[in-house]
Amino acid sequence: MIARVLDPSEWGKLEVTGNEPMHAYVPEEKMSVVVVEDEGAIVGTITIMQVTHLESAWISPSYRGNAGVVSKLLKATFEESRKVSGGWVMCQSTSDSWSDILKRLGGVKIPVETFIIGKG
């Protein structure tokens, strides 16, 4: 068995793993795919990618529910994110109301738990 970084020309091999959904969003230069192969067959893989992630959304309690604040905040956020991400971002939600807003914006829920590994 060997572990190696898969060349982008070989990313088609990942179809058998179902591990390629983000490849349509993340530019090739911001992604690496590490694989373990046994006699040429992929037996394990992890994708390393740089993504634009929205974090720490907050609205003053006295302005929550104010569509103008939400609209202006999101419009400015997405304008800025287009500069660094090509127009898409990842965002987490910790409330039903924020989840509803993200869904109305066309957000697609992905079934994951989030962990931080490393410094901390």
Side-chain angles (χ1 to χ4, degrees):
M1 284 191 291
I2 63 164
R4 68 183 181 98
V5 175
L6 201 62
D7 186 89
S9 66
E10 301 176 275
W11 286 355
K13 294 178 179 181
L14 296 171
E15 290 176 10
V16 299
T17 68
N19 197 20
E20 77 288 351
M22 294 305 294
H23 293 207
Y25 297 97
V26 182
E28 182 178 297
E29 64 273 10
K30 294 190 180 251
M31 186 167 27
S32 296
V33 179
V34 178
V35 296
V36 172
E37 295 173 317
D38 189 13
E39 297 184 16
I42 294 175
V43 297
T45 180
I46 295 179
T47 299
I48 303 164
M49 62 185 163
Q50 295 176 344
V51 298
T52 303
H53 179 255
L54 302 185
E55 183 65 39
S56 301
W58 178 85
I59 296 174
S60 172
S62 60
Y63 282 84
R64 291 182 187 161
N66 183 315
V69 173
V70 173
S71 176
K72 287 180 183 298
L73 183 61
L74 290 174
K75 182 179 181 197
T77 298
F78 289 124
E79 284 176 10
E80 183 64 21
S81 73
R82 280 187 201 93
K83 296 176 187 176
V84 295
S85 71
W88 75 276
V89 296
M90 291 186 79
C91 184
Q92 296 166 321
S93 174
T94 57
S95 71
D96 291 340
S97 60
W98 188 238
S99 293
D100 289 342
I101 290 167
L102 296 173
K103 288 175 190 173
R104 284 196 305 268
L105 291 170
V108 177
K109 184 177 179 180
I110 53 177
V112 299
E113 291 185 71
T114 303
F115 301 88
I116 296 175
I117 302 171
K119 287 187 171 187

